[in-house]
Amino acid sequence: MIFLTLLAGVIANFIGYIPPGNINLTLVQITINRGFKQAMQFIIAFSCVEFFFTFMVMLGAKWLSEQVKLDTAIDWVMVVLFSTLAIITWRNRNKPPKTTYSEHASIKYGILLGFLNPMQIPFWMVTGTYLITHEWIDDKPLDLVFFSVGSAAGAFLALFLYAQFAKFLQKRFAFSTRVIDTAIAILFFGFALYHIFKQIYLAWFKH
């Protein structure tokens, strides 16, 4: 049962981090601009935080699902987050990349984004409820600990593959940091607009 709980966490969160989002796109940016070592520091730090984040959300999944306005709040938080990341990335796109970085810069960034990851709340509310309802996992605290360990491992694996892919792209196509930063900034702007239009649609057109 413990193995299945771990495996469920690994698979669920691995799948969760496959679609492009603020975390994996930021990782691509770090890999290309700062190098693979800094990317690994980011991944390890982020994955450690993911354990605690998953555990807390899963522990309070039932209560969170009862909060009517939670989805709306998360959407607007994502608008702010994506817009901020987009503006920062866009403004820095023409700056030459630094040759040296603080030894712990990527670790701190990984920890920060680990906590500023609101999209994981609805993800675990839906996924966690499904897994518990269908008895893939138990909702006892100890089981959720093992599930969260699996979740952290799943995040690590998915992000590691993203970093490897970014490393391959950089080596194969020799993209400039300006091209990468511009593309990522546009994607961040696009994600922010998606959440804005989603709320407009829900507020004005869906009745």
Side-chain angles (χ1 to χ4, degrees), residues 12 52 60 64-65 70 74 79 89 102 154 168-169 196 199 204:
F52 296 102
L64 288 169
S65 64
L70 183 62
I74 289 173
V79 169
T89 304
S102 167
F168 166 78
L169 288 179
I196 291 172
Q199 284 304 311
W204 295 97

Side-chain angles (χ1 to χ4, degrees), residues 174-194:
F175 289 127
S176 68
T177 55
R178 185 177 186 276
V179 170
I180 295 297
D181 288 347
T182 300
I184 290 176
I186 291 171
L187 284 172
F188 281 148
F189 276 124
F191 290 143
L193 287 173
Y194 163 77

Side-chain angles (χ1 to χ4, degrees), residues 58 61 65 120-133:
M58 290 293 289
S65 64
Q120 283 298 86
I121 296 176
F123 173 78
W124 283 125
M125 282 169 54
V126 174
T127 307
T129 302
Y130 177 87
L131 292 172
I132 291 171
T133 302

Side-chain angles (χ1 to χ4, degrees), residues 137-205:
I137 62 173
D138 203 331
D139 59 354
K140 295 177 182 177
L142 183 59
D143 290 273
L144 294 182
V145 167
F146 287 113
F147 180 80
S148 300
V149 170
S151 167
F156 179 91
L157 288 173
L159 294 177
F160 178 79
L161 291 177
Y162 256 96
Q164 288 285 5
F165 182 64
K167 185 180 175 183
F168 166 78
L169 288 179
Q170 177 69 354
K171 185 177 180 180
R172 179 68 176 81
F173 299 104
F175 289 127
S176 68
T177 55
R178 185 177 186 276
V179 170
I180 295 297
D181 288 347
T182 300
I184 290 176
I186 291 171
L187 284 172
F188 281 148
F189 276 124
F191 290 143
L193 287 173
Y194 163 77
H195 287 284
I196 291 172
F197 286 128
K198 176 185 173 184
Q199 284 304 311
I200 292 173
Y201 170 75
L202 292 174
W204 295 97
F205 299 102

Side-chain angles (χ1 to χ4, degrees), residues 50-90:
E50 187 75 357
F51 164 79
F52 296 102
F53 196 91
T54 302
F55 180 75
M56 295 305 297
V57 173
M58 290 293 289
L59 204 60
K62 184 177 180 181
W63 178 83
L64 288 169
S65 64
E66 295 170 352
Q67 307 309 305
V68 179
K69 298 293 184 181
L70 183 62
D71 286 346
T72 301
I74 289 173
D75 274 332
W76 288 115
V77 169
M78 293 308 300
V79 169
V80 173
L81 181 60
F82 278 127
S83 298
T84 302
L85 290 171
I87 291 168
I88 292 172
T89 304
W90 183 264

